[in-house]
Structures are given as structure tokens and as C-alpha cells.
Amino acid sequence: MEWKHRSLIDLDTWSREEIEYLLENAKNMEDLLDRPIKKVPALRGKLVVNLFYEPSTRTRVSFELAEKFLSADVVNWSVSGSSSVKGETLRDTAWTLESMGADAVVIRHGAVGSAAYLKNKLKRSAVFNGGDGTHAHPTQALLDIYTAWKRLGHLDGKKMTIIGDIQHSRVARSNMIGFKTMGANVVLSGPPTLLPPDLESFGAVYEANPFEAVKEADIVYLLRIQKERQDEGLFPSLDEYFLTYGADERLIKAAAKEALIMHPGPVNRRVEIESAVADGPQSAILAQVRSGVAVRMALLYLCLGGAGKE
Amino acid sequence: MEDADTYKTGKFRRQGDFALDKGDNRRNSRRCLLFLWGVLGLLREKAKVMNADEMTRALKRLAHEILEKNRGGENCLLVGIQRRGVHLANRLKEYIKETESKKVPSGVLDITLYRDDLTLLHDQPVVHSTAIPVDISNKTVILVDDVIYTGRTTRAALDALMDLGRPSAVQLCVLIDRGHRELPIHPDFVGKSVPTSQDEVVEVRVNELDGVDEVVICQREEYRQ
């Protein structure tokens, strides 16, 4: 298959074949994680900059590990204590990084469209979106697809229920696009105050009652409730959220037998999910973390390896 | 024209080893062109080097040689290089079992991530799985590949192996040695040495992947306007 992407901004430009091709590669990348020596020389000499304007642990570490396992040189450009505090714009930072020879930039930024903006401004470097505002988090979606695809075999006709703060979730948005591309049906649930206005454009169904929503679901996907949203008065209290939408054993019983329980992390126990469920046999939460490294390795390998693209 | 020029100056040559001896790497654009040449009759099948019987005979002899050199296959491990090498290794394993009624373990090695030409290729070859069921440390590893050409595949395979452990020895077994080495690498067991020119392509076909057992030499026709 001819791989045409050099950057990843969101999954809406990816075909099903392309996602599947990446999954196949990721599967063999995951085997590397069990080896005594996890490093392979595939991206030797490439420079990747991780540019994180928002706090992030797992996405940044996951990208960093993926880069290191492929032998790329890694620079973590942390924003606190760097020039952006002194007022440097994103564009100038990007050009600076490119002048230093960056082959790729991984960006996490609070502004919607920042990754796409960066891609337009950079002539040479590839750009990977590590989350831009409430817009997209495509590598999270890829690792979720990978985790579910590996466990379930395929995603055709599978039902996925996403519960939580849909409106502010880039994870939900990218997952809706990705899972639908892979042939799954997506049902959303959560407080109606936390729904985006343009729900239909994603082709997803909304069901307010979580028990109805998870009925026969093969994947139950819980979003993190960002505690800072609570002050905006969009739902009464965290306790109340847990009582209504929290994933406890009762709710999980309503889903298909052996349904996968997924969560992008970090987990707020007793807000989105009960500990017994998060740590239970159906939980794929730690598998997701592991998949993250493999999927990002496959992504970097496919996008950065070849010479003559774009 | 550019493609024809690169090909003439020999820049193309390094890729040839991977490109044309391995069937799964057609995604390289130049290779696509080559593939098209093939379709259009420009990659002309010139001579059959081995038929199915000859291949079996050669592999059986190789199995005997391996046993002879390694005192009956003691402490040995067969490792096939993806993709054709894997099937050849499986057959060697069968023949060793027939002769010595002894099971030699075998594994599969993918060298894609260790290639030295990744940045030269237009597109990325797919990563296949590496699956070696036993610890290779202190074992005699017998690497099995279909064709040895520049030696770069073997170089990559050695690097990949060393990352998996510390074998007590590594030996190389190939079905076809076609010459033109670019690195100081020499096979221990050779099915057949075939003198070739660099504008030829040696194709090993195995039943499992190609539906037929044979080795053929193809001629890359020179592109003329």
C-alpha cells in the first residue's frame, strides 16, 4: 500500500484501509515492547520535537517512548520556562524548531486548529496532533481503535457507547470519526448540558439514559470529567454525576457480556468509573496505555520513514 | 527519464537486493515502475535456475550440511528471514527431522526496522512479525534467506538478532548466492551459486506464497526512448 500521509491532524482524512494498515504495523510494533532490547534503528538520525502547551503525562511520555524506541532524537520543548513565557508566538516557535532541524513536531495546544495551523506554517517538518483544544486527539482514537480491534477481532457492526462530557472532549470527537470509519456504530450518553450542538454531523445517536445507551454495547467508553467544568454549572455535582452516569457494576451488566471498558485516562475514580470496574477483568484501560506506544511507533514509522512524500 | 538515469548510475542497485528478491516491497515507486516493466514484459524471465525437484534436492543437501557442521544439529536454532526465508527454514526443519528424527526449533525474523535504506525508500515497507520461540542466547543460530546479494539484508538481520540476545554462533544459509557483495559477509551454506549481472533479478518462488517452487532469473530490459 502506498502511504500518502506525512502528518496527522485528524482522522477525517484517513480511509479505512489506511487505518487498518497502521493497525497491522502497530501489532508488530507491540511485540517489540516485550523484548529485552526495545530499541530498533528505524528512525535513527531523525529529530522529533514534543511541543506541549498543555499539561500531559501519558500522551507526552507515550510519544517520547515511541520516538526513543525507534531511535529518533527527542527534544521536549516544555512551555513553562521557555521562550513562550517571554511572549514568543506559536509560529515563531515553530520556525525556530524547524531551523534547528526538526523532522517532526508533536503538538498539544489548547487552541482548536493549532496543529493544522502549525502544519501550514512548516515547510519541512511533519506535524502530529497530540490534542488541539476541543477539536481532535487522533492518536488517542487510533490507540483506542487498535485496543478494541485487537480484543474484538474487528469493529464492523460493533456498538460503542461513549459516556461523559461529549462537548468538551476531543477524544470523543476523534473516536466518533475513527470508529465509524472502521464500521462501528457510536451511541453517546451523558448530561444533555454537555452535548455539542452539531451532534448529527458526526452521525452519532444520543441516548440520555445510560442504561439504554449501553444496552448490548461491545465497547463502553468513559470520558474523563474535567473537574474545572464543574464550576460552569453544567451539572450539579461530581457525586450526582457518578450516581447517574458513573460506570458501576450495575451499568456494566447492562452492556454486552464481556464488553470492553475503556477510558482515555487519567481516571477519576468514583466520578466516571467505580474502582471495581476500572480494575476489573473487562477493563482495557492499561491495555490502552500499552497500545498507545505501539500505535505511535507505527505512526511515526509510516510517516517519517520514507523519503519522497509530499 | 530520471528513473532510468538513477538505475544506470547504479544508485538503484542497493535497493535491488531488497526490492527484487523480496516480493512484498513493491510499494517503492521505482519498484512500481519496475513492476510495470514486468507487466509490460520489460522484466523478462530469462532462465530457470532450479525447478521444484532441484530445489528439494538442494534444500535436503543443505539440511545435511547443517547437521554435519553442527554435530547433528545440537543446540541449533533455524531463523528464517521474512518472507521467503521463513518457508525455506520450515522445509529445512522438516528435512532435518526426517534425517535425524530430531526437532530443531525454528523462528521468524523481520528485519524491516533494521534496514539501512529506510530513508532512501519512497514508501515504508510493512513491518512483519518477529517470532522466535526460544531464547537465542548461547544457541547456534542458522539464518536462512532465499537470496544473498549485496549482503545488506544479512547485516540488518545480524543487528536484529543481537538485539534479541547473544547467540554463541551465527551461521548463514542461503538457497542462491548471486554475488555482488557490498559488505564482508559470506554464507556458510549455499544451495547454488549463480553468477548474475546487476541488471538481472533472481526470483525465488515458494509454493506457500507463489504457488510454485522454482528459481528464475529475470532480465531487466534497458529503458530506451
Side-chain angles (χ1 to χ4, degrees):
Chain A
M1 167 177 207
E2 189 168 341
W3 188 258
K4 68 179 193 340
H5 298 289
R6 225 175 93 76
S7 295
L8 173 57
I9 306 302
D10 198 5
L11 284 181
D12 52 4
T13 53
W14 280 36
S15 69
R16 178 171 174 157
E17 287 70 31
E18 286 165 341
I19 294 178
E20 280 171 349
Y21 190 68
L22 182 123
L23 299 180
E24 288 294 340
N25 275 290
K27 207 161 71 182
N28 292 318
M29 293 290 183
E30 197 182 345
D31 293 342
L32 287 177
L33 303 180
D34 292 324
R35 293 204 196 158
I37 298 176
K38 299 171 180 64
K39 227 175 161 71
V40 292
L43 293 186
R44 214 174 49 177
K46 301 274 182 187
L47 174 61
V48 184
V49 180
N50 297 323
L51 181 60
F52 279 68
Y53 283 87
E54 278 187 341
S56 158
T57 316
R58 75 199 59 216
T59 304
R60 191 179 58 75
V61 170
S62 180
F63 261 113
E64 193 175 337
L65 285 176
E67 290 148 10
K68 286 183 168 165
F69 289 164
L70 291 172
S71 300
D73 291 311
V74 183
V75 173
N76 286 310
W77 192 280
S78 66
V79 170
S80 56
S82 76
S83 46
S84 58
V85 177
K86 299 174 193 161
E88 189 178 49
T89 62
L90 175 59
R91 187 185 62 189
D92 285 335
T93 304
W95 283 346
T96 306
L97 297 175
E98 194 166 50
S99 306
M100 287 176 179
D103 295 289
V105 179
V106 177
I107 181 175
R108 153 78 58 102
H109 196 288
V112 168
S114 47
Y117 173 80
L118 202 66
K119 186 174 172 245
N120 284 337
K121 290 295 165 201
L122 293 180
K123 288 172 207 75
R124 206 176 64 85
S125 317
V127 176
F128 299 107
N129 188 357
D132 62 331
T134 56
H135 169 236
H137 193 350
T139 57
Q140 177 72 42
L142 285 174
L143 76 89
D144 291 333
I145 292 170
Y146 174 75
T147 312
W149 171 81
K150 222 182 117 189
R151 290 277 189 102
L152 302 173
H154 65 94
L155 298 176
D156 269 312
K158 300 282 181 193
K159 179 178 171 185
M160 181 203 208
T161 305
I162 305 181
I163 304 177
D165 180 355
I166 311 288
Q167 180 170 12
H168 301 103
S169 177
R170 53 190 170 212
V171 175
R173 248 169 259 264
S174 286
N175 264 327
M176 274 189 267
I177 297 169
F179 275 85
K180 282 194 78 71
T181 308
M182 292 297 290
N185 303 314
V186 182
V187 175
L188 306 172
S189 189
T193 46
L194 294 174
L195 276 187
D198 54 343
L199 200 60
E200 295 76 26
S201 65
F202 290 101
V205 183
Y206 174 70
E207 169 59 56
N209 180 351
F211 285 90
E212 283 296 317
V214 301
K215 200 178 259 176
E216 304 284 296
D218 302 287
I219 304 155
V220 179
Y221 199 98
L222 306 155
L223 297 172
R224 187 171 70 89
I225 290 295
Q226 291 150 302
K227 289 184 175 163
E228 55 273 22
R229 304 277 171 225
Q230 210 201 335
D231 303 332
E232 294 171 20
L234 294 168
F235 59 95
S237 75
L238 293 175
D239 279 342
E240 188 141 346
Y241 179 85
F242 179 67
L243 285 175
T244 321
Y245 291 103
D248 51 15
E249 280 168 326
R250 218 161 42 93
L251 183 70
I252 296 312
K253 280 218 176 71
K257 210 173 157 237
E258 297 184 356
L260 277 187
I261 312 298
M262 299 174 75
H263 189 296
V267 175
N268 294 317
R269 285 166 191 265
R270 278 198 66 80
V271 178
E272 308 98 42
I273 187 163
E274 194 178 44
S275 278
V277 175
D279 308 330
Q282 284 167 266
S283 165
I285 297 174
L286 291 176
Q288 283 172 275
V289 178
R290 187 183 156 86
S291 304
V293 181
V295 162
R296 289 181 176 111
M297 282 173 83
L299 177 72
L300 291 166
Y301 165 72
L302 288 172
C303 294
L304 292 184
K309 273 169 280 183
E310 273 181 37
Chain B
M1 265 329 286
E2 197 198 325
D3 279 297
D5 286 339
T6 14
Y7 153 59
K8 270 184 216 154
T9 53
K11 248 166 96 184
F12 187 63
R13 204 178 58 200
R14 317 169 62 155
Q15 295 178 15
D17 171 272
F18 302 103
L20 303 156
D21 300 338
K22 304 262 176 287
D24 60 317
N25 286 332
R26 287 204 180 116
R27 297 180 304 110
N28 180 333
S29 73
R30 285 180 199 146
R31 198 167 307 142
C32 270
L33 191 73
L34 257 184
F35 177 66
L36 274 177
W37 289 6
V39 170
L40 299 171
L42 290 161
L43 195 65
R44 185 168 49 84
E45 205 170 299
K46 198 155 91 174
K48 192 180 264 192
V49 181
M50 275 185 185
N51 60 25
D53 289 341
E54 286 163 335
M55 236 169 109
T56 309
R57 258 176 244 133
L59 285 167
K60 279 190 173 155
R61 175 174 53 79
L62 288 173
H64 281 278
E65 282 181 21
I66 290 170
L67 288 169
E68 191 181 3
K69 183 161 176 171
N70 295 294
R71 275 160 289 135
E74 206 176 292
N75 204 29
C76 279
L77 167 66
L78 290 163
V79 172
I81 300 177
Q82 290 271 25
R83 287 177 11 113
R84 303 255 175 329
V86 175
H87 300 288
L88 299 180
N90 286 342
R91 292 195 203 175
L92 286 173
K93 187 180 171 176
E94 276 303 304
Y95 299 143
I96 287 175
K97 208 174 116 195
E98 278 172 22
T99 332
E100 297 271 312
S101 59
K102 181 194 237 160
K103 257 195 166 165
V104 175
S106 69
V108 172
L109 188 70
D110 181 68
I111 54 114
T112 314
L113 295 167
Y114 290 86
R115 292 169 60 152
D116 61 359
D117 61 347
L118 275 179
T119 49
L120 303 175
L121 296 180
H122 178 67
D123 269 302
Q124 292 298 79
V126 69
V127 179
H128 292 288
S129 65
T130 289
I132 298 176
V134 292
D135 184 7
I136 66 164
S137 296
N138 302 317
K139 287 255 177 356
T140 300
V141 174
I142 296 146
L143 276 176
V144 184
D145 205 357
D146 53 355
V147 179
I148 184 164
Y149 180 26
T150 59
R152 287 175 193 271
T153 307
T154 310
R155 198 279 313 161
L158 286 171
D159 276 359
L161 266 187
M162 297 308 163
D163 278 359
L164 294 171
R166 187 180 184 282
S168 60
V170 181
Q171 297 166 2
L172 177 62
C173 173
V174 295
L175 185 62
I176 302 291
D177 180 354
R178 60 167 294 194
H180 305 289
R181 214 78 78 241
E182 291 169 4
L183 295 170
I185 285 172
H186 192 75
D188 300 274
F189 312 102
V190 180
K192 189 171 193 176
S193 285
V194 181
T196 57
S197 70
Q198 293 187 345
D199 54 7
E200 287 169 333
V201 177
V202 177
E203 271 191 24
V204 171
R205 297 177 185 148
V206 293
N207 208 1
E208 295 89 333
L209 292 174
D210 312 297
V212 59
D213 277 341
E214 61 180 11
V215 181
V216 293
I217 295 187
C218 301
Q219 175 72 46
R220 230 182 279 154
E221 301 275 298
E222 194 138 342
Y223 181 79
R224 284 202 190 84
Q225 245 187 336

